[in-house]
Amino acid sequence: MDTQTIKNDPDHHAFCLVGENTLFLIHQIMTHMEAHSYELILEVTIPEDAKKKILEDRKENGNSHYLANWFGSEAIEAFTVPSLASGNRKEFNANVWTSVEPAQEAPTQLVPDQRNGPDQRLMGMQLPPATLPQPPWAGYWEKPEVTPWLTNVKVTVERVVHYRHINRNEISRRFEEYILFGRGKEAHIMHSVIWQPEYDHVATLKEAPDWIDEEQLIATVNVCFPHLPYDNYSTYCDNPLKDKTRHQVLYHGLSQYRDMFGNFQNKIPELYIEVEHTWWFSTRVINFWNYQFCKDSKEIS
């Protein structure tokens, strides 16, 4: 990215694939890199033979599947997230991988204790050596790209479900927040982030909640977890929403509506979701690689 512009350079982007009847791609966020500092959910279609292979592999081996647009010519296949959100880019070719390799330690610098540090929330923190994830699609750090499990899969974007740039003007929340989305009886959640320290999390629910209708599910709703307080100075190093667990949520942070005069009325009943399976959980990709907050966390996917 040029120093004097906010224009994104075309790049390659990694996505986690969820869904069965309806497929969704969830962009893997990197809060410190402008081109990747986006929440993005796409409803997509892929060729039936590729979809069949992925679903069969998921059922047999329990694999997550990651797609990245790095096939053939970089000039043709590279794109920006806004090009997808604007509708100007509706198709791309992707490779598919079934794992992200374990992180490796690398030297790091301590966070500066000056006002001109990267963020006041990080000032003076004594951090451990960085752990660098090994994206199979990149070939970073003198490590060759891992051979894809599937190649040249045509992805057609049917709809932009959710698009949001990470906003440094937002400084806090009361509770951890997720985007709830899906179609039909299938529902998924994606952790919504502020900046860092943060965690990235994508999971499928046991079923779509019966307390919203399908139009709301398709349009997305925000839910937060009152038992997961948000902290500006730390993050959850391990998945706080384990598989096969039930959790109370607040719909857009609300527990009660107000009338036209501002008086509380119509208390909202307690709302719950059931997490079936996590497809992606990571603190290593989303945060500065040289400011790792969860060295001992073993979770990368």
Side-chain angles (χ1 to χ4, degrees), residues 179-297:
I179 310 300
L180 170 61
F181 65 98
R183 186 179 288 274
K185 295 182 179 181
E186 298 179 357
H188 318 276
I189 53 174
M190 177 195 76
H191 184 229
S192 181
V193 307
I194 290 184
W195 193 56
Q196 59 177 288
E198 275 286 11
Y199 67 93
D200 204 0
H201 185 204
V202 178
T204 291
L205 303 187
K206 181 179 180 181
E207 59 187 357
D210 59 6
W211 42 264
I212 57 174
D213 61 30
E214 187 179 8
E215 287 186 339
Q216 289 173 297
L217 183 65
I218 293 171
T220 78
V221 299
N222 288 41
V223 295
C224 60
F225 293 78
H227 67 290
L228 298 179
Y230 184 88
D231 184 350
N232 283 336
Y233 299 93
S234 66
T235 191
Y236 292 87
C237 291
D238 298 297
N239 183 357
L241 304 175
K242 302 296 186 184
D243 291 1
K244 313 292 185 180
T245 56
R246 184 171 181 260
H247 303 272
Q248 183 184 359
V249 298
L250 298 179
Y251 167 77
H252 289 280
L254 297 171
S255 59
Q256 197 166 3
Y257 292 122
R258 295 176 185 264
D259 63 19
M260 63 182 298
F261 301 105
N263 300 313
F264 281 112
Q265 63 172 11
N266 299 339
K267 185 176 181 180
I268 301 173
E270 289 189 358
L271 308 175
Y272 291 87
I273 64 169
E274 294 188 53
V275 178
E276 180 68 17
H277 184 73
T278 286
W279 299 107
W280 169 256
F281 180 92
S282 179
T283 61
R284 295 190 177 107
V285 174
I286 194 170
N287 297 304
F288 278 142
W289 282 327
N290 59 331
Y291 300 150
Q292 288 298 312
F293 301 90
C294 302
K295 180 187 176 184
D296 295 331
S297 175

Side-chain angles (χ1 to χ4, degrees), residues 3 45 56 63 99-100 147 155 159 202 209 229 254 260 265 296:
T3 303
T45 53
E56 287 178 348
N63 286 327
S99 66
V100 175
T147 301
V155 177
R159 183 173 65 97
V202 178
L254 297 171
M260 63 182 298
Q265 63 172 11
D296 295 331

